[in-house]
Amino acid sequence: MIQGVHLLLYSRDAEADRAFLRDVLGWTAVEDSGSGEGWLIFETPPSELGVHPTDGPPSVELHLMCDDIEATADELAAKGVRTTPVADAGYGLTTTLTLPSGAELGLYEPRHDSPLSRFRKT
């Protein structure tokens, strides 16, 4: 029935954000030949989805996951990527990184059980 998840990132500087995903994060992509504009569609790492209750309006957030947040933040900083200070959120260690467009993505080192454990290095 469902064979994948397609995420959309709406950007005020799509070219710069595409370059970031390709060159900084090292994600591979295919060109969307149907767009006529050379849009790239990136292969993302495996994902998981958590559904949390809220008293506010419904929303969706995107958080990248890593095994060692300090090492990942250092690696990103060496590539010129700004991140916020690492914080302990209980469920994991978190930071936020800023894309060239100014959009922000969460980054965290999870402490919770994950259906992705079969993909992670041991």
Side-chain angles (χ1 to χ4, degrees):
M1 188 159 101
I2 303 299
Q3 50 95 1
V5 173
H6 184 84
L7 301 169
L8 296 174
L9 171 65
Y10 292 93
S11 174
R12 293 182 189 257
D13 192 346
E15 284 300 317
D17 286 349
R18 290 179 192 132
F20 176 91
L21 296 172
R22 182 190 60 228
D23 302 335
V24 175
L25 298 185
W27 291 0
T28 58
V30 296
E31 186 172 331
D32 175 16
S33 59
S35 72
E37 299 184 33
W39 290 1
L40 300 178
I41 299 176
F42 290 89
E43 177 183 1
T44 60
S47 63
E48 63 183 29
L49 173 67
V51 180
H52 297 253
T54 183
D55 291 328
S59 64
V60 176
E61 295 181 9
L62 175 62
H63 296 266
L64 305 177
M65 298 167 63
C66 62
D67 292 322
D68 182 336
I69 199 161
E70 295 292 347
T72 302
D74 289 346
E75 184 179 341
L76 289 168
K79 295 179 178 183
V81 180
R82 294 179 311 193
T83 60
T84 60
V86 173
D88 186 336
Y91 59 85
L93 301 175
T94 66
T95 185
T96 300
L97 62 93
T98 304
L99 297 176
S101 66
E104 295 181 337
L105 297 179
L107 172 67
Y108 83 107
E109 177 184 332
R111 290 185 180 145
H112 57 79
D113 291 335
S114 172
L116 299 177
S117 60
R118 67 181 186 268
F119 296 108
R120 291 201 181 117
K121 297 176 188 172
T122 57

Short mmCIF file of all heavy atoms in Angstrom, two decimals, residues 9-25 27 40 42 97-105:
data_model
loop_
_atom_site.label_atom_id
_atom_site.label_comp_id
_atom_site.label_asym_id
_atom_site.label_seq_id
_atom_site.Cartn_x
_atom_site.Cartn_y
_atom_site.Cartn_z
N LEU A 9 10.45 20.36 1.17
CA LEU A 9 11.07 21.49 1.85
C LEU A 9 10.84 22.71 0.96
O LEU A 9 11.37 22.78 -0.15
CB LEU A 9 12.57 21.25 2.04
CG LEU A 9 13.39 22.43 2.54
CD1 LEU A 9 12.97 22.80 3.96
CD2 LEU A 9 14.88 22.09 2.52
N TYR A 10 10.02 23.63 1.41
CA TYR A 10 9.77 24.86 0.68
C TYR A 10 10.82 25.87 1.11
O TYR A 10 10.96 26.16 2.29
CB TYR A 10 8.35 25.38 0.92
CG TYR A 10 7.32 24.46 0.30
CD1 TYR A 10 6.74 23.44 1.04
CD2 TYR A 10 6.97 24.60 -1.03
CE1 TYR A 10 5.82 22.59 0.46
CE2 TYR A 10 6.05 23.75 -1.62
CZ TYR A 10 5.47 22.75 -0.87
OH TYR A 10 4.56 21.90 -1.45
N SER A 11 11.57 26.40 0.15
CA SER A 11 12.74 27.21 0.45
C SER A 11 12.72 28.53 -0.30
O SER A 11 12.28 28.59 -1.45
CB SER A 11 14.00 26.43 0.05
OG SER A 11 15.15 27.23 0.18
N ARG A 12 13.24 29.57 0.33
CA ARG A 12 13.41 30.87 -0.34
C ARG A 12 14.70 30.91 -1.14
O ARG A 12 14.95 31.87 -1.87
CB ARG A 12 13.36 31.99 0.67
CG ARG A 12 11.99 32.13 1.30
CD ARG A 12 11.94 33.29 2.27
NE ARG A 12 10.70 33.27 3.00
CZ ARG A 12 9.69 34.09 2.73
NH1 ARG A 12 9.79 34.98 1.79
NH2 ARG A 12 8.58 34.01 3.45
N ASP A 13 15.55 29.87 -0.99
CA ASP A 13 16.78 29.75 -1.77
C ASP A 13 17.00 28.26 -2.06
O ASP A 13 17.88 27.61 -1.50
CB ASP A 13 17.97 30.35 -1.01
CG ASP A 13 19.21 30.50 -1.89
OD1 ASP A 13 19.25 29.91 -2.99
OD2 ASP A 13 20.14 31.20 -1.46
N ALA A 14 16.16 27.73 -2.94
CA ALA A 14 16.14 26.29 -3.23
C ALA A 14 17.49 25.79 -3.75
O ALA A 14 17.95 24.72 -3.37
CB ALA A 14 15.03 25.95 -4.21
N GLU A 15 18.13 26.56 -4.62
CA GLU A 15 19.43 26.12 -5.17
C GLU A 15 20.46 25.95 -4.06
O GLU A 15 21.18 24.97 -4.03
CB GLU A 15 19.93 27.11 -6.22
CG GLU A 15 19.22 27.00 -7.55
CD GLU A 15 19.36 25.61 -8.19
OE1 GLU A 15 20.47 25.04 -8.17
OE2 GLU A 15 18.34 25.10 -8.69
N ALA A 16 20.54 26.90 -3.15
CA ALA A 16 21.51 26.82 -2.05
C ALA A 16 21.19 25.66 -1.12
O ALA A 16 22.09 24.95 -0.67
CB ALA A 16 21.57 28.13 -1.28
N ASP A 17 19.91 25.45 -0.83
CA ASP A 17 19.54 24.35 0.05
C ASP A 17 19.78 23.00 -0.63
O ASP A 17 20.22 22.04 0.02
CB ASP A 17 18.08 24.48 0.51
CG ASP A 17 17.89 25.57 1.56
OD1 ASP A 17 18.91 26.09 2.09
OD2 ASP A 17 16.73 25.90 1.84
N ARG A 18 19.54 22.91 -1.93
CA ARG A 18 19.85 21.68 -2.67
C ARG A 18 21.36 21.40 -2.61
O ARG A 18 21.78 20.26 -2.41
CB ARG A 18 19.38 21.77 -4.11
CG ARG A 18 17.87 21.75 -4.27
CD ARG A 18 17.49 21.87 -5.75
NE ARG A 18 16.08 22.13 -5.87
CZ ARG A 18 15.54 23.08 -6.63
NH1 ARG A 18 16.31 23.87 -7.36
NH2 ARG A 18 14.24 23.24 -6.68
N ALA A 19 22.15 22.44 -2.82
CA ALA A 19 23.61 22.28 -2.76
C ALA A 19 24.04 21.83 -1.36
O ALA A 19 24.94 20.99 -1.22
CB ALA A 19 24.31 23.58 -3.15
N PHE A 20 23.42 22.36 -0.32
CA PHE A 20 23.72 21.96 1.05
C PHE A 20 23.44 20.47 1.24
O PHE A 20 24.28 19.73 1.77
CB PHE A 20 22.87 22.79 2.02
CG PHE A 20 23.03 22.40 3.45
CD1 PHE A 20 24.00 23.01 4.24
CD2 PHE A 20 22.22 21.43 4.03
CE1 PHE A 20 24.15 22.65 5.58
CE2 PHE A 20 22.37 21.07 5.35
CZ PHE A 20 23.34 21.68 6.13
N LEU A 21 22.28 20.02 0.83
CA LEU A 21 21.92 18.62 0.99
C LEU A 21 22.88 17.71 0.22
O LEU A 21 23.30 16.66 0.72
CB LEU A 21 20.48 18.38 0.54
CG LEU A 21 19.40 19.11 1.35
CD1 LEU A 21 18.04 18.95 0.69
CD2 LEU A 21 19.36 18.63 2.79
N ARG A 22 23.25 18.13 -0.97
CA ARG A 22 24.16 17.35 -1.81
C ARG A 22 25.60 17.41 -1.32
O ARG A 22 26.25 16.38 -1.12
CB ARG A 22 24.08 17.85 -3.25
CG ARG A 22 24.95 17.08 -4.24
CD ARG A 22 25.01 17.77 -5.60
NE ARG A 22 25.59 19.10 -5.44
CZ ARG A 22 25.04 20.21 -5.97
NH1 ARG A 22 23.95 20.16 -6.68
NH2 ARG A 22 25.62 21.38 -5.78
N ASP A 23 26.10 18.63 -1.09
CA ASP A 23 27.53 18.82 -0.84
C ASP A 23 27.92 18.71 0.63
O ASP A 23 28.99 18.21 0.96
CB ASP A 23 27.98 20.18 -1.38
CG ASP A 23 27.72 20.31 -2.87
OD1 ASP A 23 27.64 19.29 -3.57
OD2 ASP A 23 27.59 21.46 -3.33
N VAL A 24 27.07 19.19 1.53
CA VAL A 24 27.40 19.17 2.95
C VAL A 24 26.96 17.85 3.59
O VAL A 24 27.73 17.19 4.28
CB VAL A 24 26.79 20.37 3.69
CG1 VAL A 24 27.03 20.29 5.19
CG2 VAL A 24 27.36 21.68 3.13
N LEU A 25 25.71 17.45 3.36
CA LEU A 25 25.22 16.21 3.95
C LEU A 25 25.59 14.99 3.13
O LEU A 25 25.51 13.87 3.62
CB LEU A 25 23.71 16.27 4.16
CG LEU A 25 23.19 17.35 5.12
CD1 LEU A 25 21.69 17.19 5.33
CD2 LEU A 25 23.94 17.33 6.45
N TRP A 27 24.04 13.75 0.47
CA TRP A 27 22.90 12.97 0.01
C TRP A 27 22.91 12.88 -1.51
O TRP A 27 23.21 13.85 -2.21
CB TRP A 27 21.59 13.60 0.48
CG TRP A 27 21.36 13.49 1.97
CD1 TRP A 27 22.18 12.91 2.89
CD2 TRP A 27 20.25 13.99 2.69
NE1 TRP A 27 21.64 13.01 4.14
CE2 TRP A 27 20.45 13.66 4.05
CE3 TRP A 27 19.10 14.67 2.32
CZ2 TRP A 27 19.53 14.00 5.04
CZ3 TRP A 27 18.19 15.01 3.31
CH2 TRP A 27 18.40 14.66 4.65
N LEU A 40 16.04 18.59 -7.97
CA LEU A 40 16.63 17.36 -7.46
C LEU A 40 15.70 16.75 -6.41
O LEU A 40 15.10 17.46 -5.61
CB LEU A 40 17.99 17.65 -6.82
CG LEU A 40 19.05 18.25 -7.73
CD1 LEU A 40 20.33 18.53 -6.95
CD2 LEU A 40 19.32 17.33 -8.91
N PHE A 42 16.08 14.07 -3.42
CA PHE A 42 17.14 13.45 -2.65
C PHE A 42 16.71 12.15 -1.99
O PHE A 42 15.58 12.04 -1.50
CB PHE A 42 17.64 14.42 -1.56
CG PHE A 42 18.38 15.58 -2.12
CD1 PHE A 42 17.72 16.73 -2.48
CD2 PHE A 42 19.75 15.51 -2.32
CE1 PHE A 42 18.40 17.81 -3.02
CE2 PHE A 42 20.44 16.57 -2.87
CZ PHE A 42 19.76 17.72 -3.22
N LEU A 97 20.10 23.06 13.15
CA LEU A 97 21.03 23.56 12.14
C LEU A 97 20.29 24.46 11.18
O LEU A 97 19.08 24.33 10.99
CB LEU A 97 21.75 22.41 11.42
CG LEU A 97 20.93 21.41 10.62
CD1 LEU A 97 20.83 21.84 9.16
CD2 LEU A 97 21.61 20.06 10.69
N THR A 98 21.01 25.41 10.61
CA THR A 98 20.41 26.39 9.72
C THR A 98 20.87 26.14 8.29
O THR A 98 22.07 26.07 8.02
CB THR A 98 20.79 27.82 10.15
OG1 THR A 98 20.39 28.01 11.51
CG2 THR A 98 20.10 28.86 9.28
N LEU A 99 19.91 26.00 7.39
CA LEU A 99 20.20 25.85 5.97
C LEU A 99 20.58 27.20 5.37
O LEU A 99 20.29 28.24 5.95
CB LEU A 99 18.98 25.29 5.24
CG LEU A 99 18.50 23.90 5.65
CD1 LEU A 99 17.22 23.54 4.91
CD2 LEU A 99 19.57 22.87 5.43
N PRO A 100 21.20 27.21 4.19
CA PRO A 100 21.56 28.49 3.56
C PRO A 100 20.38 29.44 3.39
O PRO A 100 20.54 30.65 3.47
CB PRO A 100 22.13 28.06 2.21
CG PRO A 100 22.66 26.69 2.44
CD PRO A 100 21.71 26.07 3.42
N SER A 101 19.17 28.90 3.20
CA SER A 101 17.99 29.74 3.02
C SER A 101 17.52 30.37 4.33
O SER A 101 16.66 31.24 4.32
CB SER A 101 16.84 28.91 2.45
OG SER A 101 16.43 27.93 3.40
N GLY A 102 18.06 29.90 5.44
CA GLY A 102 17.59 30.37 6.75
C GLY A 102 16.63 29.39 7.40
O GLY A 102 16.30 29.54 8.58
N ALA A 103 16.15 28.40 6.64
CA ALA A 103 15.27 27.38 7.22
C ALA A 103 16.06 26.60 8.28
O ALA A 103 17.27 26.42 8.16
CB ALA A 103 14.76 26.44 6.13
N GLU A 104 15.36 26.15 9.29
CA GLU A 104 16.01 25.41 10.36
C GLU A 104 15.52 23.96 10.38
O GLU A 104 14.34 23.69 10.16
CB GLU A 104 15.72 26.06 11.71
CG GLU A 104 16.32 27.44 11.83
CD GLU A 104 16.05 28.09 13.18
OE1 GLU A 104 15.07 27.70 13.85
OE2 GLU A 104 16.83 28.98 13.54
N LEU A 105 16.45 23.05 10.64
CA LEU A 105 16.14 21.63 10.79
C LEU A 105 16.63 21.18 12.16
O LEU A 105 17.71 21.56 12.60
CB LEU A 105 16.86 20.78 9.73
CG LEU A 105 16.50 21.01 8.28
CD1 LEU A 105 17.35 20.09 7.40
CD2 LEU A 105 15.03 20.76 8.03
#
